[in-house]
């Protein structure tokens, strides 16, 4: 199984983010999971890639040419694919991955997981989308998503399809047992 992880090119202010990211990477790698990610060697991106590599898992990076030097492309990967732009990056990651997981990150992390969630909601994919909620990082976002559902902008089954946990074992169990809801327009 290959899981796409979206996360920060920064490690954040609290060391718990990097510690939990490393622990998650170790857990997933020792449980038969390979990593698909944005190809960087900095921030949580570098931490998660290194964690998988430390446990002997395969790591597939996808990075746009424009960001290759800025995000300090990781050159110790199983495979590093260099693409023309962010659209190609996301499409390649989505094609390679069996599931999507967002760790703490910034605007790019949200954009990537929201696009994967949207594609799944619309029926382009039936792949699980998850938020790994380190130190309650996504709690306020979860409130917003609940508000979107209660005010009628997201169907409850599409809000509920998101896996939300801060426990590695629960995350992997939920991904492996995931059943996609009916697409929005069926």
């Amino acid at each position: 199984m290959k899981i796409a992880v979206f996360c920060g090119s920064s490690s954040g202010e609290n060391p718990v983010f990097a510690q939990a990211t490393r622990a998650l990477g170790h857990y997933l790698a020792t449980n038969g999971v390979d990593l698909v990610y944005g190809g960087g060697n900095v921030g949580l991106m570098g931490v998660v890639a290194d964690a998988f590599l430390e446990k002997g898992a395969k790591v597939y990076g996808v990075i746009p040419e424009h960001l290759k030097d800025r995000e300090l492309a990781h050159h110790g990967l199983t495979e590093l694919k260099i693409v023309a732009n962010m659209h190609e990056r996301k499409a390649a990651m989505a094609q390679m991955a069996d599931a999507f997981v967002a760790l703490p990150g910034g605007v790019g992390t949200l954009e990537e997981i929201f696009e994967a969630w949207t594609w799944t909601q619309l029926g382009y994919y039936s792949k699980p989308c998850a938020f790994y909620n380190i130190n309650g990082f996504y709690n306020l976002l979860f409130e917003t998503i609940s508000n979107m559902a209660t005010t009628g902008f997201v169907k409850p089954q599409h809000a509920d399809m998101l896996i939300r946990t801060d426990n590695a074992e629960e995350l992997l169990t939920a991904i492996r047992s995931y059943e996609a809801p009916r697409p929005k327009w069926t």
Side-chain angles (χ1 to χ4, degrees):
M1 169 186 292
K2 293 180 187 170
I3 294 180
V5 170
F6 307 124
C7 59
S9 59
S10 168
S11 293
E13 297 293 325
N14 189 334
V16 73
F17 295 124
Q19 293 163 358
T21 295
R22 182 171 307 286
L24 175 65
H26 285 166
Y27 178 82
L28 293 174
T30 58
N31 282 279
V33 175
D34 292 325
L35 175 66
V36 176
Y37 86 117
N41 191 29
V42 294
L44 295 184
M45 292 174 72
V47 171
V48 74
D50 289 342
F52 273 81
L53 291 168
E54 289 164 4
K55 295 297 181 179
K58 293 180 181 172
V59 178
Y60 303 92
V62 184
I63 194 166
E65 178 70 39
H66 177 74
L67 296 178
K68 182 177 65 168
D69 296 325
R70 291 182 181 168
E71 288 187 1
L72 305 173
H74 198 303
H75 295 288
L77 307 179
T78 307
E79 181 181 319
L80 178 64
K81 182 174 185 174
I82 299 169
V83 296
N85 55 51
M86 292 296 287
H87 297 292
E88 287 184 22
R89 177 195 227 178
K90 291 182 294 184
M93 289 176 68
Q95 184 177 16
M96 294 168 68
D98 300 304
F100 308 99
V101 176
L103 276 63
V107 174
T109 300
L110 289 179
E111 189 268 336
E112 290 168 326
I113 192 67
F114 274 38
E115 185 167 294
W117 181 30
T118 301
W119 290 342
T120 301
Q121 176 182 279
L122 294 174
Y124 289 106
Y125 295 112
S126 58
K127 301 176 182 185
C129 296
F131 287 89
Y132 195 67
N133 195 27
I134 298 170
N135 204 36
F137 184 80
Y138 284 114
N139 288 350
L140 294 175
L141 179 63
F142 297 159
E143 289 180 30
T144 299
I145 292 169
S146 293
N147 185 54
M148 293 163 73
T150 59
T151 56
F153 289 97
V154 174
K155 291 183 179 182
Q157 67 267 27
H158 294 129
D160 293 342
M161 71 184 273
L162 295 172
I163 299 165
R164 307 168 197 193
T165 185
D166 63 355
N167 179 284
E169 185 177 348
E170 286 178 12
L171 175 69
L172 189 54
T173 298
I175 287 171
R176 286 184 169 152
S177 64
Y178 176 80
E179 291 185 31
R182 292 181 54 184
K184 183 175 181 176
W185 302 114
T186 57

